[in-house]
Amino acid sequence: MYKCLVIVLVTLSAEALIITVDQGTLNGTYLTTRRGKLFNAFYGIPFAQPPVGELRFKSPKEAKPWTGVLDASAVPTGCVETDWDVNAPVLGSEDCLNLNVYTPLNARKGDNISVVVYIFGGGFKGFTNMEFGPQYILERDVILVIPNYRLGALGFMTTGDSVIPGNYQLKDQTMAMKWVQKNIHHFGGDPNSVTLQGHSAASICVHLHTVSPLSKGLFHKVIMQSGASMSGFWGPDVIRGIVKEFATKAGCPDITSSKSILSCLMSLDAKTFPKIEQTMYVWDSNPLSVFKPSIEDENSEEPFITKSPSTADYHNPHMPWIIGLTTGEASYKVAHYLSNGGELAAEIDQYYKILFPITLSYLWSTKLIHLNYISQTLRAHYFGDRKIGAETAHEMTQFYTHGMFGVPIIEVIRSYPGPKYVYWYDYKSNYSRQNLDGYYEEDLGVAHGEEVYLLFYTAVSDNALTLADQMFSEELVKRWTNFMKTGNPNFPIGINTDITGFWEPMVTNRIEYLRIELNGTMETDLYKGISEFWNSLPFGSKYEDWF
């Protein structure tokens, strides 16, 4: 009996590794979850043509068919990227528009398994789809899709007109979701139950997909972790300045017109782009993202977004959302500023009128007449007459957490009329990004991205997690995958409320939220008064303020 069962399982799983999609046939491989459960992995499936040659700075084109059987068992190539460290090597290739699909072992066409498309973060300029392992999520029998997409200058270069429209990263993500709609049923997936999930910069991307007409109908639920943006786009003058500076550093002989700049940039080697981008930091590694989403010219080829999200309409105001942030998002940044004797923090303390606008990126989106007033008001509110440094580490963490993450997220929560499950993540595992980035010993809260390490496998974080962390991780994964399946994070799989609490949706303007921690509880008034304070300042960061 047992021998027959083994033969049946092996036969079924072997068949599951051969899939025929619209472009051709491919074969995958096996992986195991953290509890030893087998599942299928298909790596590097092309969802668009390589954006090389004439397709650089163009919207993605559908992938062409292939002949024979595509080997989808090997690690794929990521897009061109480099680290924030100026000495880091450039990795990846321009031929990178591929995605990974992970499915339950014996998933078959017609099974209608819920799907999640995960967009990874990285300041719009880093990482690949291989850095976020499926070993936790696939315990819960969903299908996980993680695409690669153009990064940094290659992903967001724009001349502010129809010559180089920009937003290629976002358009690549849209193309990946179109591929999912056409092909995921071949893997047993349900194209009518797709969750779009993103963290950090990718969460901003997810928010923009909810208002872009190009992405309408491609997903049905949303998870936004630690990122959102109603405004903060570079103005037209800044865009023109950035592209001209880049072209000058690239040695372009003529930067007088968009067409001359395009002609020059088309001749550059792809790996030149991130190295030039690294030279455009103003102070330390700021601004974090020189190249990022922009408002496009209406005459552009397939514009992704032509007006600010603050004035755009949600194309589906009824889909359920999960949205939230951690308690100490910016603690990793503060730990960095306080490392090496606090040299960077001392610079901020002395030159805050210059460095507040740079580190929070409002230098480029606020009228000059308001800059000093804003910086002085922020300093008085958060630090009073105290020095910015180790003695005000907590205040510094709150300052950057509110400005970089909290206030934009609260604005988006209030703007969306549909069902929302809001969270404030307060579980600190043994794997602390704060210590990883700055080795600063004082606890400044749960850092940016720490919940991601409990949702996705990485070798470093997995080895660091304690048994208690693993148990909490399993409950967190249940939450997220319940939502992916039903739009409700509490059901259908039972939740151990002793660990994470019962999660109620937001129903009033007081912003009800789950404080996710051991014995988590529902609370109200997330960031009460904080967003009102920030919004009272004359940032002038909305794109329409420039006209």
Side-chain angles (χ1 to χ4, degrees):
M1 173 181 174
Y2 293 110
K3 184 176 181 180
C4 292
L5 179 60
V6 169
I7 291 173
V8 169
L9 287 175
V10 170
T11 301
L12 287 175
S13 58
E15 290 175 359
L17 289 179
I18 305 295
I19 300 288
T20 299
V21 298
D22 287 1
Q23 301 110 298
T25 300
L26 53 91
N27 71 283
T29 187
Y30 301 115
L31 292 177
T32 57
T33 68
R34 64 176 143 195
R35 288 190 174 271
K37 182 178 178 181
L38 277 172
F39 64 93
N40 308 314
F42 304 89
Y43 293 126
I45 306 171
F47 66 84
Q49 295 177 38
V52 299
E54 293 184 356
L55 294 184
R56 179 184 284 179
F57 304 133
K58 294 288 186 182
S59 296
K61 311 300 179 186
E62 284 193 0
K64 293 180 178 180
W66 60 78
T67 58
V69 178
L70 177 73
D71 182 9
S73 65
V75 173
T77 301
C79 291
V80 176
E81 61 152 340
T82 190
D83 199 272
W84 281 260
D85 182 352
V86 296
N87 298 313
V90 175
L91 305 173
S93 167
E94 205 169 6
D95 180 0
C96 61
L97 298 186
N98 58 69
L99 51 79
N100 299 341
V101 179
Y102 306 99
T103 70
L105 181 63
N106 291 313
R108 290 291 184 276
K109 184 183 290 188
D111 286 352
N112 288 330
I113 300 168
S114 290
V115 180
V116 54
V117 177
Y118 182 69
I119 304 175
F120 53 83
F124 303 115
K125 62 184 177 184
F127 300 138
T128 76
N129 62 1
M130 288 302 298
E131 296 178 66
F132 302 88
Q135 286 86 343
Y136 300 169
I137 295 286
L138 263 290
E139 284 280 353
R140 309 308 321 171
D141 291 334
V142 296
I143 290 178
L144 172 63
V145 179
I146 311 182
N148 280 317
Y149 29 81
R150 284 172 278 186
L151 302 167
L154 288 168
F156 287 107
M157 179 69 71
T158 177
T159 49
D161 53 29
S162 60
V163 177
I164 306 180
N167 290 332
Y168 306 109
Q169 182 178 121
L170 293 159
K171 295 169 184 176
D172 292 346
Q173 294 164 2
T174 296
M175 180 62 78
M177 288 189 284
K178 288 180 178 179
W179 186 94
V180 167
Q181 285 298 307
K182 292 179 180 179
N183 290 284
I184 205 64
H185 68 283
H186 296 299
F187 297 85
D190 184 355
N192 297 310
S193 180
V194 176
T195 299
L196 183 60
Q197 178 186 4
H199 171 260
S200 191
S203 184
I204 294 175
C205 292
V206 171
H207 177 228
L208 294 177
H209 283 294
T210 66
V211 297
S212 171
L214 293 188
S215 302
K216 183 177 181 180
L218 299 180
F219 55 95
H220 314 93
K221 297 177 274 300
V222 158
I223 300 176
M224 295 169 56
Q225 298 171 223
S226 302
S229 181
M230 291 294 281
S231 54
F233 298 92
W234 296 147
D237 291 339
V238 177
I239 286 173
R240 284 188 286 269
I242 287 172
V243 71
K244 286 184 176 182
E245 180 185 350
F246 187 97
T248 299
K249 288 176 178 288
C252 296
D254 182 3
I255 61 170
T256 58
S257 71
S258 296
K259 289 185 177 179
S260 65
I261 291 173
L262 172 63
S263 177
C264 176
L265 297 185
M266 290 292 287
S267 69
L268 297 181
D269 181 89
K271 292 190 175 182
T272 302
F273 285 84
K275 297 307 290 184
I276 294 176
E277 185 176 353
Q278 284 183 320
T279 69
M280 297 177 73
Y281 296 140
V282 178
W283 180 80
D284 192 41
S285 57
N286 293 283
L288 180 64
S289 304
V290 176
F291 293 94
K292 62 181 183 178
S294 61
I295 307 300
E296 289 181 59
D297 188 314
E298 292 183 354
N299 297 316
S300 299
E301 174 197 20
E302 297 182 286
F304 183 85
I305 186 169
T306 58
K307 57 183 177 180
S308 169
S310 62
T311 60
D313 295 324
Y314 291 103
H315 51 65
N316 184 350
H318 306 292
M319 72 169 66
W321 284 17
I322 283 178
I323 182 170
L325 71 164
T326 69
T327 57
E329 291 279 359
S331 60
Y332 78 97
K333 191 178 185 81
V334 172
H336 170 62
Y337 291 155
L338 293 174
S339 62
N340 298 319
E343 293 177 4
L344 293 175
E347 288 186 31
I348 296 173
D349 180 65
Q350 184 174 359
Y351 303 110
Y352 74 94
K353 291 181 183 178
I354 299 172
L355 295 182
F356 279 8
I358 290 173
T359 54
L360 288 174
S361 292
Y362 64 84
L363 173 64
W364 298 276
S365 57
T366 299
K367 293 167 183 171
L368 293 176
I369 193 173
H370 298 314
L371 288 177
N372 280 351
Y373 169 76
I374 292 172
S375 297
Q376 290 169 339
T377 304
L378 288 171
R379 173 149 195 167
H381 182 82
Y382 282 92
F383 302 99
D385 58 0
R386 302 171 71 192
K387 288 180 66 67
I388 296 174
E391 66 183 85
T392 52
H394 287 278
E395 289 82 358
M396 199 175 179
T397 300
Q398 292 304 299
F399 169 60
Y400 281 111
T401 295
H402 295 169
M404 295 174 65
F405 304 97
V407 173
I409 288 170
I410 294 297
E411 283 187 310
V412 169
I413 288 171
R414 287 178 171 157
S415 76
Y416 183 63
K420 298 176 287 285
Y421 291 89
V422 182
Y423 72 87
W424 201 39
Y425 188 85
D426 197 19
Y427 179 82
K428 197 173 186 74
S429 73
N430 191 53
Y431 185 77
S432 170
R433 189 179 171 195
Q434 172 195 326
N435 293 336
L436 177 71
D437 286 357
Y439 307 102
Y440 186 68
E441 296 301 324
E442 187 175 356
D443 183 3
L444 299 176
V446 180
H448 185 63
E450 289 196 24
E451 86 284 12
V452 174
Y453 298 115
L454 273 67
L455 292 168
F456 293 93
Y457 170 88
T458 70
V460 176
S461 60
D462 186 74
N463 290 334
L465 298 181
T466 66
L467 179 60
D469 294 337
Q470 293 283 0
M471 292 177 61
F472 193 89
S473 168
E474 290 184 349
E475 290 301 312
L476 192 66
V477 169
K478 284 182 187 178
R479 290 278 193 193
W480 261 234
T481 53
N482 279 351
F483 179 83
M484 294 166 190
K485 295 174 182 178
T486 68
N488 186 321
N490 299 298
F491 306 107
I493 302 299
I495 295 295
N496 186 340
T497 54
D498 289 338
I499 294 180
T500 55
F502 189 84
W503 200 347
E504 299 173 13
M506 174 180 159
V507 293
T508 73
N509 289 330
R510 294 189 63 185
I511 308 186
E512 298 89 348
Y513 64 95
L514 177 65
R515 186 168 187 150
I516 298 180
E517 59 180 346
L518 287 174
N519 304 309
T521 55
M522 288 297 300
E523 300 178 2
T524 60
D525 296 322
L526 181 62
Y527 278 23
K528 182 179 180 180
I530 294 171
S531 60
E532 288 81 1
F533 164 72
W534 283 77
N535 287 328
S536 71
L537 300 175
F539 286 107
S541 58
K542 293 180 180 178
Y543 180 82
E544 55 269 22
D545 289 346
W546 287 80
F547 298 94

